Amino acid sequence: MSSVFLGIVAVTVTGAVAAWTGYGDAGFAVFVFVMGAYFVVLCLHEFGHAYAAHRAGDTGVAARGYLDLNPLRYLNPVLSFLLPALYLAWGGLPLPGGAVLVDRTAARKRWQASLISASGPLANVVFAVLAMVAVALWAPTVPIDGNGSAVFGSHQEFWQGVTFFAFLQVAVALLNLIPVPGLDGYGIIEPYLKPETRRGLEPIRPYGILLVLLLLFFFQPVRDGFSHAIYSILSAFGQPYYGASQGQSLFMFWKSH
């Protein structure tokens, strides 16, 4: 296991402990905690792709160093640095993430090729569910104006951070599962499409993620629909209505100074 990955885990735990105990600046502690946890799951997301490809017959995955959870192997200059920085400055959403190069043609079965794409978002789904269940069971909440609830009480900064982390993981999972070329959702269904359909959609692949993100930011019906889907899932898991926005406010600590 990569020492870099273990270092990120250590930083994440440090931020979580600081948020839990109230040590130092609460916003900075939540930022370290949530951003660290985001990158931990990013590594597991990309490792999921790589491991599924390895099991399906891609012998080059190990040689490319994708099986040791080293984030430096997964990072992409645009996907991992430029776009997340822009989204972070825009609204506290560090999306989308990393990238691994795998040989899906090595898969002997169509379901194996689909699993290669599905294994990444599965990590986001698992951590989203874990975070939402933890918040639903243990986060201190209070009703607000009869229209919802917020996180207030013991260790509230920590739980606000967990709620925001859950929001991010739900958003990342939904984003990745959109069936547009270049996203995992398309990779899941691609093996079952007709060859001529795949050839026709192939030119979109390099621009699929940018197209989706542009629609999310500048086309209100798409943005509203995406937001509604996220909050519907959060509500189904009993999340405090204002919890994610509380955590986001702490996360964007630079706006409060």
Side-chain angles (χ1 to χ4, degrees):
M1 186 177 293
S2 164
S3 59
V4 178
F5 176 75
L6 294 176
I8 294 174
V9 172
V11 169
T12 303
V13 172
T14 300
V17 171
W20 179 270
T21 60
Y23 179 81
D25 181 82
F28 183 70
V30 169
F31 174 82
V32 172
F33 169 35
V34 174
M35 184 62 82
Y38 167 80
F39 275 104
V40 167
V41 180
L42 167 62
C43 291
L44 295 173
H45 175 117
E46 301 303 337
F47 174 82
H49 288 312
Y51 183 72
H54 175 70
R55 296 288 296 179
D58 183 356
T59 57
V61 165
R64 290 190 289 272
Y66 290 155
L67 299 180
D68 63 0
L69 287 171
N70 186 345
L72 300 180
R73 307 281 191 185
Y74 307 139
L75 298 183
N76 175 283
V78 175
L79 294 180
S80 306
F81 292 109
L82 179 60
L83 290 180
L86 291 175
Y87 301 142
L88 180 61
W90 187 298
L93 300 177
L95 305 172
V100 295
L101 300 176
V102 298
D103 181 12
R104 287 176 171 81
T105 63
R108 296 175 294 277
K109 305 285 187 180
R110 286 189 294 182
W111 67 265
Q112 290 177 315
S114 293
L115 184 61
I116 292 172
S117 294
S119 296
L122 180 61
N124 301 108
V125 171
V126 167
F127 277 87
V129 170
L130 290 175
M132 289 189 292
V133 169
V135 169
L137 291 177
W138 298 304
T141 60
V142 297
I144 301 292
D145 299 330
N147 297 318
S149 60
V151 179
F152 287 112
S154 181
H155 311 297
Q156 67 183 42
E157 290 84 4
F158 172 83
W159 288 113
Q160 288 166 1
V162 175
T163 308
F164 181 51
F165 171 75
F167 169 87
L168 289 178
Q169 293 308 308
V170 171
V172 171
L174 289 178
L175 178 67
N176 275 279
L177 290 173
I178 295 174
V180 170
L183 294 174
D184 293 329
Y186 176 76
I188 293 171
I189 66 172
E190 184 181 17
Y192 300 93
L193 298 177
K194 295 179 179 179
E196 56 268 27
T197 302
R198 295 201 298 269
R199 287 194 296 270
L201 293 173
E202 189 61 27
I204 302 175
R205 188 183 299 274
Y207 314 106
I209 180 65
L210 293 176
L211 175 63
V212 169
L213 293 173
L214 286 173
L215 288 173
L216 285 173
F217 273 94
F218 299 109
F219 192 57
Q220 187 170 348
V222 174
R223 182 170 64 249
D224 291 347
F226 188 71
S227 178
H228 177 73
I230 294 172
Y231 278 99
S232 294
I233 293 172
L234 293 174
S235 176
F237 277 85
Q239 303 302 283
Y241 184 80
Y242 297 104
S245 59
Q246 288 178 292
Q248 184 181 28
S249 296
L250 283 172
F251 179 85
M252 300 178 71
F253 67 94
W254 56 90
K255 289 192 173 182
S256 63
H257 293 288

